[in-house]
Amino acid sequence: GLSTAAQNISMYGHYTQDLGAYAKEEAARLREKSGRRPSATERSLSLENPDYDNGRCGKCCSCMLRCKKFLIACVGEDWIFLILLGLFMGLISWGMDYGIDYCLHAQKWVYMSLENNVFLQYLAWVTHAVVLITFSAGFTQLLGSHAVGSGIPEMKTILRGVVLKEYLTCKTFVAKVVSLTSALGSGMPLGKEGPFVHIACLCAAMLSRFMSVFGNVYQNKTRYIEMLSAASAVGLASCFAAPIGGVLFSIEATGTVFLVRNYWRGFLAATISALFFRILAVWDTEEETITALFKTRFSTDFPFDLKELLAFAVLGIASGILGALFVYLNRLIFEFIRNQNFIKNFFMKRRLLYPVLVTILISTLTFPPGFGQFMGSQLTQKESLLSFFDNRTWSKPGTAEDYDYPDFSYAWKHPQVNVFVTLGLFVFMKFWMSALAITMPVPCGSFIPTFVIGAAFGRLAGECMAAWFPDGIYSDGTVYPIVPGAYAVAGAAALSGAVSHTVSTAVIIFELTGQISYLLPVMIAVILANVVAQSFQPSLYDSMIKIKKLPYLPELGWGHNEKYNIRVKDFMTRDVTYITLNCCYRDLQDVLQAGDHLKTLALLKSSQSRILLGSIERVELQAVVSQQLGRPRRLEYLRERAAAKRKRQSVVSHLSSEGISQKATLEVRFQVNQVWSSTPRRTSLCLQRLHSIFCLEPSEKKAMAASLSLHDSSPRLQIEEWEESQLDEPVDFDNCKIEPAPFQLVEHTSLHKTHTMFSLLRLDHAYVTSIGRLIGMVSLKELQKAIDGSLEVKGAKVRPPMASLRDVRSSSCNIEIEATELHKLWDQYNSRSLPRKHLPSDSDEKS
Amino acid sequence: GLSTAAQNISMYGHYTQDLGAYAKEEAARLREKSGRRPSATERSLSLENPDYDNGRCGKCCSCMLRCKKFLIACVGEDWIFLILLGLFMGLISWGMDYGIDYCLHAQKWVYMSLENNVFLQYLAWVTHAVVLITFSAGFTQLLGSHAVGSGIPEMKTILRGVVLKEYLTCKTFVAKVVSLTSALGSGMPLGKEGPFVHIACLCAAMLSRFMSVFGNVYQNKTRYIEMLSAASAVGLASCFAAPIGGVLFSIEATGTVFLVRNYWRGFLAATISALFFRILAVWDTEEETITALFKTRFSTDFPFDLKELLAFAVLGIASGILGALFVYLNRLIFEFIRNQNFIKNFFMKRRLLYPVLVTILISTLTFPPGFGQFMGSQLTQKESLLSFFDNRTWSKPGTAEDYDYPDFSYAWKHPQVNVFVTLGLFVFMKFWMSALAITMPVPCGSFIPTFVIGAAFGRLAGECMAAWFPDGIYSDGTVYPIVPGAYAVAGAAALSGAVSHTVSTAVIIFELTGQISYLLPVMIAVILANVVAQSFQPSLYDSMIKIKKLPYLPELGWGHNEKYNIRVKDFMTRDVTYITLNCCYRDLQDVLQAGDHLKTLALLKSSQSRILLGSIERVELQAVVSQQLGRPRRLEYLRERAAAKRKRQSVVSHLSSEGISQKATLEVRFQVNQVWSSTPRRTSLCLQRLHSIFCLEPSEKKAMAASLSLHDSSPRLQIEEWEESQLDEPVDFDNCKIEPAPFQLVEHTSLHKTHTMFSLLRLDHAYVTSIGRLIGMVSLKELQKAIDGSLEVKGAKVRPPMASLRDVRSSSCNIEIEATELHKLWDQYNSRSLPRKHLPSDSDEKS
């Protein structure tokens, strides 16, 4: 299921090398275009038009219209949207929690009621997990596999400006919500947070589509992206009741650049959703009032001694290593399953088998009366977290001050083994289990699992510290005990921060525990964990992006000064596919058929001057070619020929309407008229060639052939000849939409600046020009290679081949490096070998 | 002092309309260029060159060199820089706090020791404040007035990419640190935070300059800006020991766009500085361990009831109104002082009088035994804050649980009047006092004053609530008392957030108080305060930017959907000053003399084709003209003429060396050789014209005239003629650095997108092109006008004249609005009246 998902992704992401998909898509687009009914917006706009005051109620109508306009203007305001989004997400999060709790309690209840028979208990325990996971995986499969996984990698890609339409549909929303609830209800070590970011974005996309009935601002793409990025903040906020942390985490995890203008959107929506999420809990009388989700009760008067900072720093570094290891292990599992052909084929045929096997393995190992008793398996993830954050020390019994709040420490105090063993086992087992569990094809996140493991690891470190200094730390005449719970807090933030490469987990944990007195230790641990993890491995999300082969832009590592010395000319591709103003349809068709993965093509004035006029979208060109050789013109040609040859115009139209269905003919007529009025020119056709552009349905094809042979007695040859002449005509770009100012770079732009530009403007390609002439192109692919090249330098012997000998000289004048002396440019202009006309055969050979 | 400061700003900001400054600057630059010694970097690089292994110690040398290289590479790493910056700032902040505390204690001590004589007490109280403020204002004046004010507006401008060099000098640093300490030591209602952001940036700039000795990465401009933005986070973090809040506040207050890549820099430096700042306090035995700065002790088990959220919301709205009022009042005072000619002239002559008068007024009113007793003036700002955050209720005596921590509530419990009156008076008096005090020409911030006022206001609201519900709020069978301190916390965050238009004050207050249990109420109050304040007034920083006339880019208001419908063609200027490839020196000179405020000029292929080739910096052009008519060529010409006429070459050089000093001639010879070898062409000269470009020093001028009359017997006329012919020559752009890809927009780009681009790329102008032809330009000025135009629409009757009738039609297709049909472009291309050649006389008329 995994590799198919990846294929689907690439198909819908428009960056496929496969032309078939393109042609199909194009055909669909054109068909839709021609037969398009006015959209909801247009209809509402035509309604608004106050021309139609019919008789007496004109005034009333105009008043109504004004009211409606006001209402629409209101609904168009961002804050309405954000508040609605916040409320929805709060509700969904609470509802889902309710469902998950119900499932988990059911498991516990069945398990408890079978206390007499261990085998039945085991059966119930495993069956519960297997059934829920199977349902989750099956349901996801049923509604399309886009709901699989956490969704943060995909959101990161979407917010970078890449269109992945299938990821934001209603179907995916349903699949994600239902499957996630059942997956989490199974008790597997999975998280809710990642998928929730995706769910919030889905919710925003749907809401946006719904609201566009009222105001057409919702159709603006920039705004849409801004709303999505606000929504991704809501996702986390509604899970954790952590509005600030949610906003920051979403910025760090999903964005590369952030508009401050957008800040308040995230905060508003996140606060509303967190508030509503907690208010629902109060109304449900689950809580007395709004408090933190995992409230801690540490002393605030003397939280920690200065010397303990060192211990926190060590904990941070260890968490960083652990985090990098987690990412590595997870990728290893993914790649093992994908690359071993036997395993891949085996699981491809039995798609539900893999999650079932994984679930059986994990739930067997965590069965409480079995091995689970040594790793606190009778607790849910939430209860484990609460127990880790407890401010009593387990390794030193009897020192607790008050016992009036729930105590889950019994799970860790096994009569045979001590606390260190249970905690250590928990960390070790959960570590690989979580890395394995998140490879299952169900909606699941990795945040909470790493959070729990980190908390356990921190608790272990804290208990060790407490055992090492049983009397606490002596400072200024007073002795202060060590609080292992605080280490758990720091460990949770550090490990989850290391895995996701974010610093804001520190903020999340403060909001989650309701205490901020460990501000500095936690910050230190999180920063050090990030430093360590970032130098070893990419973040889990980037790793996923790589595994799923989504188009991504790797982050520039930090402190790599080489990146200032690598220039665009070192890594740009000089082999740019372009079209010229005076090209003919044949060139166009050849260029389009050549496998190229970019959505747009450069338009030059001529291949001699190479002056860049702008860029044209591939689909636009496809439309131009289709118009020249497409069905309407073909039919028109038939009609014409028939008219010319047999002089029986009325009969022909009757005959052709027999071949095709009535409706199609009407449509065709309409289209023909359109085409005719706009471009009155000679036409030609060729079935084979048409087939390569249009996928004819078999029935249509037959009808065509029939009508062709019916009307046309001349040999095929003649048609082909005509068609060739048609292709040799110069292209008429008149109705083609061009983007007149595509983004341009210069040869001397540094890698660092190029990366910044690509991040800032969410580019996916840029042309490299020299005084107006196109000399190359940089796309995400080239940039990726260049960055990977420059990153590899760090740990190694080789210099990047491109950064030749420039370091010393260029870096001394890199303040104004962008500006170049004109005579150099002119020299290049003149000396450069006259660019060959682009030969499509070249690219054909490659593809 | 204020208006001069503004003038200075505009001079150094390169956006002046005054050409004189430019010419001078240019001359200085050229002189520096020709006589430039190799910079430190170059020297260190030449040292690095391992060619010079002299004899036996070659190996040792190369080893040393390798070590040095490694060291340099290390020092070049960002984290070293950030850690150093953090340590420095922590130290400075702590040292400054120490100094301020010392001053304040001295004031208190003198005041206390004179307890018997009220008049002497008054004298001491006022004198202390006046002396310190006068010293502060005088010292600032002495070292340049760039240290005046908070510095956040300037940093915002600098981080937008505008070069304000004088704001980041060592002199300014000293002025700011010393003056700020003495200003805050005076006890006036001023803040440390704003200036500290500036100080951190100054520190980073200086450190960067120092570090550039080791590694030349520090010279990269992008990196420099990135480091400055990290430094601005450090500023606040080191003041408040609030790393997270500091980072967020600096992002919100100084940035318009934010690279996530930059995030960790801010966090690392801020954490280090906050840590060091607090560790210093512990070492100083001021504190037992690291805790929050203004620790609160609220109950965490049941912090607030759901119904109290409403009260917090009302508090937020009221704070928002108050915040907008504060900004308005502050601007009113500024404008009153500046616009009233009499007052302006009066204070311009006696620069120190204004701060003295303000200080006397404020300190008289706050004199504790006088009126000050009704508004708790015996407390410092810090003590007031601590008292407001107290969790005991003042209006209901005797309910406090424990008394083991300092209690400042006595200041508010006046025997004659009740708490409500003292708090109300405090809010009212401090409100206008703070607004007045921050107009003094001393380094001062507004954050802490608004913070204190907000806390008092919140406390007042809290005490009112406590009086209204004396028994607390009944919920679920238990009665919970109201905590007025929590309202103070919310009020402080809300008011300071409203004044600065930031949400992150909420985070700051959590870090400052060490408690986060009031997360949601505070967030609600802050968000509502922001909403209210933003709809009435700009932020205090933006208001300052407007007052100081710094080049700024106003934020797009929120929810203004018109901005999507306004296009570039509606607000671009069509009157672009340009030069063409085939223009002559006269055109160049005319264009340069025409008053235009932009740093760069467009370079077109020809005025017929209007194809944009790139842009050239004004200074480059100035250099080209100077080279054609400048001193070296003039001397060369003299020499040549003399040689030709009198055939006595050796005598001439002796003679000319009598006119000018020996050193100058040597220099000239060198230059002449350079010029000669690069551009061998006929030359000419004219003193008057030269004067307009070069400001000759009088002695030089005389020498010139002497040598002219000495060598040259021909009439002036001939020279002028020659010079005219010289000016008619086509310009040789060969050695001119051009920027080959200036940023381009299209006519149809929306205002929203233009704003985004300008913010993202820190542009200050962009050319508008249509298929390669220049048709207009948008600079910050035009953009400002367009935004102000579209913002005015909101509250008013008028439509922006530009957004004509497009709303309905264009918005329905605004998904692909950027792309235009080619034939439309060509139509415009052909139909557009042939652009007239740019006549410099036009712009002369305007200027």
Side-chain angles (χ1 to χ4, degrees), chain B residues 642-820:
Chain B
K645 275 199 175 175
R646 307 188 191 179
K647 318 269 180 195
R648 283 174 302 169
Q649 207 158 358
S650 61
V651 179
V652 170
S653 82
H654 273 277
L655 276 173
S656 70
S657 71
E658 281 165 25
I660 319 160
S661 77
Q662 195 71 30
K663 185 167 157 273
T665 324
L666 284 173
E667 193 184 274
V668 163
R669 262 188 206 158
F670 174 66
Q671 284 182 343
V672 164
N673 288 336
Q674 273 194 318
V675 169
W676 198 243
S677 59
S678 66
T679 52
R681 224 184 307 161
R682 290 161 304 154
T683 48
S684 103
L685 105 163
C686 169
L687 264 180
Q688 285 115 331
R689 225 171 252 280
L690 273 170
H691 192 64
S692 73
I693 297 163
F694 261 172
C695 297
L696 285 180
E697 290 145 34
S699 64
E700 268 190 319
K701 216 190 316 188
K702 218 178 280 171
M704 268 304 101
S707 71
L708 202 71
S709 58
L710 194 72
H711 301 306
D712 200 358
S713 50
S714 63
R716 277 277 166 91
L717 262 175
Q718 200 189 338
I719 300 173
E720 263 175 25
E721 205 175 87
W722 274 39
E723 191 256 347
E724 290 294 320
S725 77
Q726 189 70 16
L727 276 178
D728 282 333
E729 267 184 35
V731 178
D732 174 29
F733 284 110
D734 273 0
N735 289 306
C736 213
K737 283 189 175 173
I738 76 158
E739 151 76 13
F743 196 76
Q744 294 170 31
L745 295 168
V746 195
E747 286 175 297
H748 298 276
T749 314
S750 68
L751 175 58
H752 184 258
K753 190 170 180 185
T754 312
H755 186 271
T756 312
M757 291 292 169
F758 269 68
S759 314
L760 284 177
L761 302 178
R762 302 198 176 102
L763 299 176
D764 93 322
H765 69 280
Y767 296 109
V768 184
T769 54
S770 167
I771 17 175
R773 288 157 54 109
L774 179 73
I775 54 169
M777 194 185 64
V778 175
S779 68
L780 270 184
K781 207 174 63 184
E782 276 86 37
L783 200 54
Q784 276 170 29
K785 270 187 208 156
I787 291 170
D788 290 344
S790 87
L791 288 186
E792 271 161 23
V793 185
K794 183 67 188 291
K797 308 97 208 170
V798 285
R799 291 196 54 84
M802 25 207 187
S804 48
L805 296 159
R806 241 167 308 111
D807 327 25
V808 177
R809 241 176 310 141
S810 70
S811 55
S812 64
C813 60
N814 57 6
I815 298 155
E816 280 181 275
I817 205 71
E818 287 295 298
T820 321

Side-chain angles (χ1 to χ4, degrees), chain B residues 496-513:
Chain B
S496 52
V499 169
S500 56
H501 283 200
T502 55
V503 191
S504 43
T505 50
V507 185
I508 293 179
I509 202 132
F510 297 137
E511 293 183 284
L512 214 53
T513 58

